[in-house]
Amino acid sequence: MSGRAKKRKPTSAAKSRKLKSRNTVPAKSGFDTVSQVEDGVMKVMMEFFSKEMLPLFGIKTKVTGVLATEEVQIKLSKGYEDFNLEMEDGSIAHFEFQSTNGGTDDLRRFRSYESSLSYKLKRPVLTYVLFSGHIIHPMTKLVDGINSYKIVPIIMSERSADSLLTDLWAKINRSEPLTRGDLATLPLLPLYGGECSQQERIRAAFKIIAKADYVSRSDIEKIEAAIYALATKFLTNTELSQMKGEIKMTYLGQLLVEDGRAEGRAEERKNTERERLRAEKAEAEARKAEAEARKAEAELQKLKKQLGLV
């Protein structure tokens, strides 16, 4: 028998463990990034355009203020709600933006936010959850012992991007001025259902916003930034490059172009400085080489004298 130990074949269980380790999905995927961008865009839109957006969701009570979204609990853990609004009737509208359907876990989390906020402010709280992506039938009610808890679902995919664009273009063709409320719908287009592609929606959004002559530049810049943020997540690099014309016409596009020019000028200055330093270094090295050559020549002449050659 050979002195070498016989190599054992891996068992099926070992193969399974190895395959599982190879196929492990990273904790942060591209989908998580898209979800974070959606949350960020929705928070910005709610902060600056809540009065215009709430009627889109069928909420008729008027907003009177924005509330904090960080709740410090007794056990020193923190709960972060997505958005809280103070309503005219004294209640609190608590918003959550969901790209995934977490079922009972999400409902328990929303319930904890709601109860903590209600206890702290001594007011009724109603939780609205905006479901985007392909979520159509989310869980909206949790029965826990003798208690039950409900949210108000807002299914974004049930709304039609095609109908919204048709209505906005009809308004433009009638020469009616676009309002803040009209523009506040544009960043929602990638989250709506409909037949038109994401590229068509975002291209149309940029074209429509260019027709807004009666909305402040500050508001337009915020909406353009929100549209562009979602565009970078829902479109490929090729699709984005195909929309350079529309983006350049926006305030945001002009800022990006100016930033690019400024970066180009800064890079040009850096290149000029690098060339100057390179030239100075080359000149110094040439002077050093010349000095060393003169020194070597002097030593050679000295040696010739010592040998009586000169």
Side-chain angles (χ1 to χ4, degrees), residues 18 66 130 148 172 201 203 274:
K18 187 173 182 181
V66 177
L130 277 69
S148 62
I172 291 170
R201 300 177 193 198
R203 175 176 277 120
R274 279 196 291 265

Side-chain angles (χ1 to χ4, degrees), residues 31 98-104 106 131-132 135-140:
F31 188 78
Q98 290 295 109
S99 298
T100 56
N101 186 8
T104 56
D106 278 349
F131 291 100
S132 59
I135 303 174
I136 300 175
H137 302 295
M139 181 179 290
T140 61

Side-chain angles (χ1 to χ4, degrees), residues 190-206:
L191 310 179
Y192 281 8
E195 297 298 322
C196 57
S197 68
Q198 293 290 11
Q199 187 180 26
E200 291 171 328
R201 300 177 193 198
I202 293 170
R203 175 176 277 120
F206 280 128

Side-chain angles (χ1 to χ4, degrees), residues 46-231:
M46 289 296 284
E47 181 175 358
F48 293 102
F49 302 98
S50 56
K51 292 182 181 179
E52 288 75 24
M53 290 185 69
L54 291 197
L56 300 175
F57 307 139
I59 303 171
K60 297 180 180 179
T61 309
K62 293 182 179 179
V63 179
T64 59
V66 177
L67 296 176
T69 57
E70 180 178 322
E71 298 298 323
V72 180
Q73 300 178 9
I74 297 299
K75 62 179 182 180
L76 299 181
S77 65
K78 291 183 179 180
Y80 293 94
E81 300 99 23
D82 281 346
F83 214 83
N84 294 323
L85 293 173
E86 189 172 19
M87 309 303 285
E88 189 179 40
D89 61 2
S91 65
I92 306 300
H94 165 220
F95 287 86
E96 292 290 330
F97 311 125
Q98 290 295 109
S99 298
T100 56
N101 186 8
T104 56
D105 286 343
D106 278 349
L107 290 178
R108 285 194 167 92
R109 179 164 57 88
F110 301 155
R111 180 178 62 177
S112 70
Y113 293 162
E114 189 175 302
S115 61
S116 177
L117 192 61
S118 178
Y119 180 77
K120 177 182 175 182
L121 299 179
K122 303 296 188 287
R123 299 188 197 177
V125 179
L126 184 58
T127 297
Y128 299 88
V129 182
L130 277 69
F131 291 100
S132 59
H134 300 289
I135 303 174
I136 300 175
H137 302 295
M139 181 179 290
T140 61
K141 182 178 180 180
L142 173 67
V143 177
D144 216 359
I146 63 171
N147 300 307
S148 62
Y149 170 71
K150 291 182 180 180
I151 58 164
V152 179
I154 299 172
I155 313 298
M156 304 297 286
S157 61
E158 290 180 349
R159 298 160 188 267
S160 171
D162 307 287
S163 298
L164 174 57
L165 289 173
T166 298
D167 292 343
L168 290 176
W169 281 121
K171 190 171 185 178
I172 291 170
N173 293 333
R174 293 193 301 267
S175 299
E176 294 181 18
L178 296 173
T179 64
R180 285 177 96 243
D182 293 327
L183 299 190
T185 62
L186 296 177
L188 303 178
L189 284 169
L191 310 179
Y192 281 8
E195 297 298 322
C196 57
S197 68
Q198 293 290 11
Q199 187 180 26
E200 291 171 328
R201 300 177 193 198
I202 293 170
R203 175 176 277 120
F206 280 128
K207 287 182 176 179
I208 288 171
I209 204 168
K211 306 286 185 181
D213 298 325
Y214 298 95
V215 179
S216 72
R217 179 163 181 163
S218 175
D219 286 342
I220 288 177
E221 287 177 352
K222 290 183 180 71
I223 294 172
E224 285 177 348
I227 296 170
Y228 186 76
L230 288 177

Side-chain angles (χ1 to χ4, degrees), residues 281-297:
K281 183 179 179 182
E283 185 179 354
E285 288 176 349
R287 287 197 299 267
K288 181 180 178 182
E290 184 180 356
E292 288 176 350
R294 285 197 300 268
K295 182 179 178 182
E297 179 65 22

